[in-house]
């Protein structure tokens, strides 16, 4: 059904910390690895040719932001499905392939019902959907629905592949409908925000803004006093006396 | 947006076909026998050819029947229903005109309403998309209806009525072009709001997330078609609206239907190409491109 479920029991989603993301692309690779599994479920066209192109469910952009009082910052910006509460990609779907689950709010594509019209990708402001042109069906982030409930996995692995792999801990997974969850507390503490709220999609995922840097931020540490020893120390003393 | 030929043919031909069927159904052209057969055949042919063309861009057209299931939420699904309903509802009137069965005209009016509803649903597929501010505006359904009615009237040889409708189409196009140019800015989305970083200071792309173009860029960021936008706007306005308006007023109905009809279709295709090529999707903001 492409009618939205309204209030969902949970709102599972991601919280992405733009302060700690270093833009290493590990989440992109882990996502591709888990969701492709060597079976070309996220196919690449011409991967070793001059114009490679392929399906990814997560892309990491890099922006330069210039605050008025200091030098520019580089902000690495992972972009994937935000599992919106008012997901326009779901309501536009003519076949019922695009759906939002009532139990946890995950937005999924039922590939057996997808006709590949592409209207859902047009309806998404965030570019979260990419077409699998080999199979003619739409692909999107599943929040690793095949990991997070899999009890055969050790508990620490029951989270999305991108979150599990992030070496700097910039990605967090949890229930954003529960105000006491770790992710909700993090959002409250760091003033996490939604992307393009003006689009009326009510995204579940939140982004944590980069912390202040430069003047006004924590003072820069004083350089350590260099105390040379051995030959360098002798040279230092002798040259100092000249 | 990428101007896919299948979608341009779909919206143009089915719009023209359903518009023409409206004039046949309401009895604006009094035809009987084989003349009626060919006229109705042309209307059905255009509408069905358009609908068939729409399936060419589907990844899995064999599942197209599933598109009838989600009419509660999806304009595309509603369009599937109204188009089939219109084609079925108009069949008795078509047979009646061809075989002189003398069925009452109100049966045709019901079909005409469904034909117009189909045009409305087609327009709403695009109008509903907040992500494409140029489309997300009343000028989109206005121009789709104007195209269907003007094109239908031209093919139906409606003389002064066709001229008037062509001129209203011209007005709708001018409004669509002029107002459309401001809609992206008016929506207020910028790279700052797309990334949420705008509060810190000006945002600029430092490095793209991938080195080659992907599906999103091919589909939503189409710059080639916009290069000749001014010329195409003029061609659309002249061929689809202004010249047919003059031809329909001056030439005898049959001659006008053929010459103005062919010209109108050319202009309509140019306008529809531009409708897609000029439309900018907000996802381009993430790439610093439109």
């Amino acid at each position: 059904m492409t009618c939205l479920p309204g209030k969902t029991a949970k709102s599972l989603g991601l919280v992405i910390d733009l302060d700690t993301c270093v833009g290493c692309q590990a989440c992109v690779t882990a996502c591709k690895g888990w969701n492709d599994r060597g079976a070309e479920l996220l196919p690449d066209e011409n991967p070793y040719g001059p114009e490679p192109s392929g399906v990814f469910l997560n892309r990491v952009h890099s922006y330069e932001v210039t605050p008025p009082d200091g030098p520019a910052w580089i902000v690495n910006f992972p972009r994937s499905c935000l599992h919106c509460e008012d997901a326009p990609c779901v309501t536009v779907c003519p076949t019922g392939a695009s759906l939002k689950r009532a139990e946890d709010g995950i937005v999924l594509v039922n590939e057996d019902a997808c006709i590949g019209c592409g209207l859902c990708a047009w309806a998404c402001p965030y570019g979260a959907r990419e077409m699998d042109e080999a199979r003619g069906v739409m692909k999107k982030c599943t929040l690793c629905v095949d990991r997070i409930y899999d009890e055969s996995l050790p508990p620490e692995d029951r989270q999305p592949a991108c979150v599990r792999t992030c070496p700097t801990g910039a990605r967090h997974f949890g229930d954003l409908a529960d105000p006491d969850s770790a992710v909700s507390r993090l959002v409250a503490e760091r003033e996490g925000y939604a992307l393009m709220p003006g689009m009326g999609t009510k995204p579940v995922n939140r982004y944590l803004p980069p912390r202040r840097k430069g003047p006004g931020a924590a003072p820069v540490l004083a350089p350590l006093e260099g105390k040379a020893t051995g030959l360098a120390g002798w040279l230092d003393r002798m040259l100092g006396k000249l | 947006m990428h101007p896919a030929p299948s979608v341009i043919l779909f919206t143009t031909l089915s719009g023209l076909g359903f518009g023409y069927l409206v004039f046949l159904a309401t009895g604006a052209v009094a035809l009987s026998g084989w003349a009626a057969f060919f006229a109705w055949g042309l209307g059905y042919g255009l509408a069905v050819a358009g609908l068939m063309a729409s399936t060419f861009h589907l990844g899995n057209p064999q599942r197209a029947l599933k598109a009838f299931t989600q009419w509660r939420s999806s304009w595309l699904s509603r369009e599937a229903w109204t188009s089939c309903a219109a084609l079925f509802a108009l069949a008795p009137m078509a047979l009646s005109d061809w075989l002189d069965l003398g069925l009452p005209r109100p049966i045709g009016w019901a079909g005409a309403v469904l034909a117009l509803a189909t045009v409305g649903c087609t327009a709403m597929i695009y109008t509903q998309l907040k992500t494409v501010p140029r489309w997300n505006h009343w000028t989109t359904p206005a121009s789709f209806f104007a195209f269907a009615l003007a094109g239908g009237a031209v093919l139906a040889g409606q003389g002064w009525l066709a001229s008037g409708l062509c001129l209203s189409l011209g007005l709708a196009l001018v409004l669509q072009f002029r107002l459309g140019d401001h809609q992206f800015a008016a929506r207020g989305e910028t790279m700052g709001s797309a990334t949420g970083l705008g509060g810190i200071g000006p945002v600029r792309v430092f490095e793209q997330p991938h080195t080659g173009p992907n599906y999103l860029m091919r589909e939503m960021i189409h710059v080639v078609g916009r290069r000749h936008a001014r010329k195409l706007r003029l061609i659309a306005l002249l061929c689809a609206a202004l010249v047919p308006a003059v031809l329909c007023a001056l030439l005898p109905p049959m001659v006008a239907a053929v010459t103005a009809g062919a010209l109108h279709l050319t202009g309509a295709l140019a306008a529809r190409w531009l409708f897609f090529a000029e439309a900018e999707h907000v996802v381009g903001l993430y790439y610093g491109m439109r």
Side-chain angles (χ1 to χ4, degrees):
Chain A
M1 269 309 293
T2 56
C3 288
L4 290 164
K7 196 105 192 89
T8 54
K10 285 181 175 182
S11 291
L12 295 185
L14 299 176
V15 172
I16 296 171
D17 190 344
L18 298 179
D19 194 60
T20 36
C21 175
V22 293
C24 69
Q25 312 273 337
C27 53
V28 179
T29 317
C31 169
K32 185 93 168 170
W34 177 261
N35 290 294
D36 192 76
R37 271 165 268 166
E40 302 217 339
L41 296 171
L42 294 180
D44 292 315
E45 295 148 41
N46 203 10
Y48 305 105
E51 282 176 13
S53 181
V55 182
F56 287 77
L57 310 181
N58 179 34
R59 307 265 190 184
V60 179
H61 295 251
S62 290
Y63 297 101
E64 181 194 87
V65 191
T66 315
D69 54 355
W73 310 348
I74 298 302
V75 179
N76 299 297
F77 185 92
R79 178 177 57 78
S80 60
C81 174
L82 308 174
H83 297 278
C84 302
E85 218 173 288
D86 270 352
C89 56
V90 170
T91 51
V92 298
C93 176
T95 68
S98 193
L99 57 103
K100 184 170 175 70
R101 308 204 322 170
E103 63 269 37
D104 52 17
I106 300 181
V107 176
L108 290 175
V109 174
N110 170 9
E111 289 182 14
D112 293 334
C114 178
I115 54 172
C117 69
L119 193 56
C120 54
W122 287 12
C124 174
Y126 312 107
R129 292 174 170 242
E130 297 191 17
M131 182 81 85
D132 169 351
E133 280 168 281
R135 286 182 190 73
V137 292
M138 197 53 81
K139 299 284 175 163
K140 69 173 296 300
C141 162
T142 65
L143 218 54
C144 284
V145 71
D146 49 351
R147 282 177 74 102
I148 58 176
Y149 295 116
D150 186 350
E151 291 183 359
S152 68
L153 293 174
E156 64 272 24
D157 281 337
R158 287 178 218 162
Q159 45 183 336
C162 57
V163 175
R164 183 74 181 97
T165 206
C166 180
T168 63
R171 302 178 71 100
H172 307 267
F173 164 69
D175 180 10
L176 284 134
D178 171 9
D180 294 324
S181 68
V183 280
S184 295
R185 287 202 305 272
L186 196 56
V187 169
E189 211 172 280
R190 294 274 308 281
E191 294 178 0
Y193 61 84
L195 304 181
M196 286 198 264
M199 283 281 135
T201 52
K202 298 193 201 147
V204 167
N205 285 13
R206 287 288 183 272
Y207 283 78
L208 306 180
R211 292 179 173 96
R212 301 283 308 165
K213 297 171 186 70
V220 178
L221 292 176
L224 292 174
E225 184 66 37
K227 199 89 177 143
T229 54
L231 178 64
W234 178 79
L235 267 174
D236 186 29
R237 283 195 300 279
M238 295 313 288
L239 288 169
K241 281 177 187 163
L242 279 176
Chain B
M1 305 296 286
H2 172 60
S6 57
V7 183
I8 294 174
L9 285 176
F10 152 53
T11 55
T12 313
L13 295 182
S14 71
L16 182 61
F18 282 112
Y20 184 44
L21 288 174
V22 166
F23 285 89
L24 294 178
T26 50
V29 234
L31 294 170
S32 61
W34 286 104
F37 176 82
F38 286 114
W40 279 97
L42 176 65
Y44 267 85
L46 287 168
V48 173
L51 296 171
M52 295 294 284
S54 76
T55 64
F56 292 157
H57 88 289
L58 298 182
N60 281 290
Q62 76 282 8
R63 299 178 189 151
L65 281 180
K66 287 191 195 294
F68 287 89
T69 61
Q70 303 302 315
W71 51 272
R72 287 179 196 83
S73 74
S74 165
W75 283 104
L76 185 46
S77 188
R78 286 170 198 162
E79 202 249 357
W81 274 106
T82 50
S83 60
C84 288
L87 293 176
F88 277 113
L90 288 166
M93 212 65 242
L95 288 175
S96 165
D97 280 358
W98 173 30
L99 305 169
D100 286 324
L101 301 179
L103 289 184
R105 207 31 82 177
I107 294 178
W109 296 344
V113 170
L114 285 168
L116 283 176
T118 308
V119 175
C121 288
T122 310
M124 283 311 292
I125 294 172
Y126 305 102
T127 311
Q128 68 177 336
L129 297 174
K130 285 187 188 146
T131 49
V132 186
R134 191 184 282 273
W135 291 348
N136 188 224
H137 196 259
W138 61 265
T139 46
T140 304
S143 86
F144 273 64
F145 280 122
F147 261 115
L149 291 175
V154 167
L155 289 186
Q158 295 294 295
W160 285 102
L161 175 61
S163 291
L165 286 169
C166 280
L167 291 177
S168 355
L169 168 63
L171 180 66
L173 279 177
V174 169
L175 285 173
Q176 192 180 25
F177 295 148
R178 295 302 292 267
L179 299 178
D181 287 344
H182 306 292
Q183 273 145 234
F184 199 97
R187 180 49 52 84
E189 299 296 353
T190 60
M191 197 185 286
S193 69
T195 60
L197 299 170
I200 301 168
V203 188
R204 198 175 73 85
V205 170
F206 178 69
E207 192 179 31
Q208 295 292 10
H210 38 93
T211 50
N214 65 347
Y215 171 74
L216 297 175
M217 297 171 83
R218 287 190 295 268
E219 193 71 10
M220 330 272 183
I221 306 169
H222 188 85
V223 287
V224 183
R226 298 177 198 149
R227 256 177 228 154
H228 306 291
R230 284 180 67 91
K231 282 178 208 160
L232 279 167
R233 283 180 179 191
L234 199 63
I235 292 171
L237 206 53
L238 285 173
C239 293
L242 301 182
V243 181
V246 176
L247 294 180
C248 287
L250 300 179
L251 298 176
M254 271 307 284
V255 186
V258 175
T259 52
L263 204 58
H264 169 81
L265 184 58
T266 314
L269 289 170
R272 207 43 61 75
W273 160 275
L274 210 51
F275 176 74
F276 288 97
E278 279 197 302
E280 299 144 317
H281 195 288
V282 292
V283 78
L285 294 169
Y286 287 104
Y287 290 92
M289 300 175 190
R290 292 274 191 86

